Amino acid sequence: MTIQKRPSLLGGAMIIAGTAIGAGMLANPTSTAGVWFFGSIAILIYTWFCMTTSGLMILEANLHYPTGASFDTIVTDLLGKGWNVINGLSVAFVLYILTYAYITSGGSITENFLNQLGENVEVGRTAGSLIFCFVLAAFVWFSTKAVDRFSTVLIAGMIISFFLSTSGLLSSVKADVLLNTVAQGEQQYLPYILTALPVCLVSFGFHGNVPSLVKYYDRDGKRVMKSIFLGTGLALIIYILWQLAVQGNLPRAEFAPVIAKGGDVAALLEALNKYIQTDYIGIILNFFAYMAIASSFLGVTLGLFDYIADLCKFDDSRLGRTKTTLVTFLPPLLLSLQFPFGFVVAIGYAGLAATIWAAIVPALLAKASRKKFPNATYRVHGGNFMVYFVILFGLLNIFAQVALQFGWIADFKG
């Protein structure tokens, strides 16, 4: 008789952390520059709590359905076809807009890297975006296995480079920069609280993995819950260290040129390099940023690729995969070539749409499932109060993004 080994908590936690931690975190220091360090920590903790809770609400609803059931089945049954259409559109929008965001930043870093190779090399932003997109799209077109293997290499490199770079940055943190006592000009923080929310929300996106973890842990709700807490907790710690590393070295007023370029990652690294005495830290940071963007790009586009193939009924032949690849990559690539400086803005829009399927829908699912299945074995803490608390979090995010576009709330310019 063969005894099947139980999957480790670490495995599930790494799935959650690996999904959450990515290029979204690179936009955090820029999007939270208005509220600065202590304000950004408060917003990150608030977002972490609400997003972790909403993930657990998906788990609560999911446990009432057969193993393998995902959003389509659960949302249709509990909330109806109308909500399922809204949820499906929001998922597709998030994946497309994130693909655009990663092409813009990946193209920027590719451009800078190739131009530094030699004096005779002159690569523009368009060429950088095309090279970045085509090379990584080839892995997605080839197979899921190719994506898995390349992603493993990228994530390993990302973790190593993150700790190598931040250890140097953390040792050079200056108290007057972190506390903003050297700043000139305006010293307000509270008016910029809402503008930071949507980007932080994207940094804790893992909700699509919950049904997979239910299957992975053979419907052991408590084990899934623990893996979610561990994974999101690890992400929170890394984000706080990243905020400390960047906002402890780059003065608040110096974010102006970075914000002017839409939070472009290459612009952030260029601004930061002025305050880093050790050259190797800047080089490692560039590698970290590039691997973070590339790994996130592969993860997001693989999900979008499978979604498009299923939606359009493209088969798995070479021709079918080529059709899927074109529908997956061409729209965001063309958008990137037209609007090359939209990283933070794009991440913010992704936060707007992600709010629907990562905050509001999970809360509504929990409320509906408690009514339909009153004898549930697992329930999220806080009762109905927590349902409305998460919905309020979602509505605040939606209001923040809409208000920002119409100029109803302050937008920090540096």
Side-chain angles (χ1 to χ4, degrees), residues 264-285:
D264 186 59
V265 176
L268 172 63
L269 297 178
E270 184 181 345
L272 196 57
N273 282 340
K274 297 176 184 176
Y275 296 89
I276 300 172
Q277 300 301 318
T278 312
D279 290 339
Y280 86 90
I281 295 177
I283 296 170
I284 296 172
L285 267 178

Side-chain angles (χ1 to χ4, degrees), residues 3-19:
I3 299 175
Q4 205 169 21
K5 187 179 178 181
R6 292 180 71 190
S8 68
L9 272 178
L10 182 63
M14 287 302 101
I15 291 173
I16 296 295
T19 304

Side-chain angles (χ1 to χ4, degrees), residues 351-369:
L352 176 63
T355 299
I356 297 173
W357 67 275
I360 293 176
V361 166
L364 294 176
L365 288 175
K367 187 172 177 61
S369 68

Side-chain angles (χ1 to χ4, degrees), residues 256-267:
V258 184
I259 294 169
K261 288 191 174 182
D264 186 59
V265 176

